[in-house]
Amino acid sequence: MAYDVDRRPGQRVSEQAARKSLHVWLLAALLVAIALAAVALLASNRATIASSVVVIVAALVLKRYADREVVTAIRWLGGARAEASVGEELNTLRSEAFVVMHDIKPRGEGNIDHVVSGPTGVFLVETKERRYEDRHLVIA
């Protein structure tokens, strides 16, 4: 498989963040639709206790799922920003005879965030948004 030299740093993560953000918007729209249905049901004087409970339970379940999706989307967006920032910094090494590549898709799952190859060796760079401690860098 050929490497796309124009691939932006963090492109795969940005695409995933966009998908997760779309999920959040769709879930928000669904919650609004449920709320409108509940109001219409109450306004029609056809509401029963059972139908009210069903609508309330559906809204609560959906909200719980939406809350998790929001957290996930925020994490993906943060990861995308981090990978783009690290990638742009690594791109400055190109002027020093380094080859810099981003978002390499190996066989299987995941990706390699950055590969830097040059006069001093080959380096694989994994980018994380969160802070780390020295113990996280130990190879087991």
Side-chain angles (χ1 to χ4, degrees):
M1 177 193 300
Y3 174 73
D4 177 9
V5 294
D6 295 323
R7 190 149 179 89
R8 296 183 337 262
Q11 185 172 337
R12 184 187 75 84
V13 178
S14 295
E15 292 163 357
Q16 185 67 22
R19 279 191 292 279
K20 289 294 182 180
S21 296
L22 178 61
H23 289 170
V24 169
W25 284 109
L26 291 174
L27 288 168
L30 192 54
L31 278 169
V32 168
I34 288 173
L36 291 174
V39 168
L41 189 63
L42 290 172
S44 71
N45 292 328
R46 298 167 88 187
T48 64
I49 292 176
S51 63
S52 300
V53 168
V54 167
V55 169
I56 290 169
V57 168
L60 290 174
V61 167
L62 192 59
K63 183 191 177 306
R64 184 176 170 108
Y65 178 69
D67 288 345
R68 284 192 303 239
E69 285 295 300
V70 166
V71 169
T72 302
I74 289 170
R75 286 184 182 152
W76 279 101
L77 288 167
R81 280 194 308 270
E83 281 192 29
S85 177
V86 168
E88 292 306 320
E89 190 65 32
L90 291 173
N91 283 343
T92 63
L93 295 172
R94 290 178 172 161
S95 65
E96 299 176 32
F98 283 87
V99 174
V100 180
M101 299 183 294
H102 309 285
D103 275 340
I104 307 298
K105 175 79 173 132
R107 290 185 181 145
E109 295 181 27
N111 75 325
I112 299 169
D113 294 340
H114 317 279
V115 176
V116 180
S117 175
T120 57
V122 177
F123 305 90
L124 303 178
V125 180
E126 174 69 21
T127 303
K128 296 295 178 204
E129 176 192 26
R130 62 187 182 272
R131 294 177 181 229
Y132 63 88
E133 299 171 8
D134 287 343
R135 66 181 175 86
H136 294 135
L137 300 176
V138 174
I139 298 174

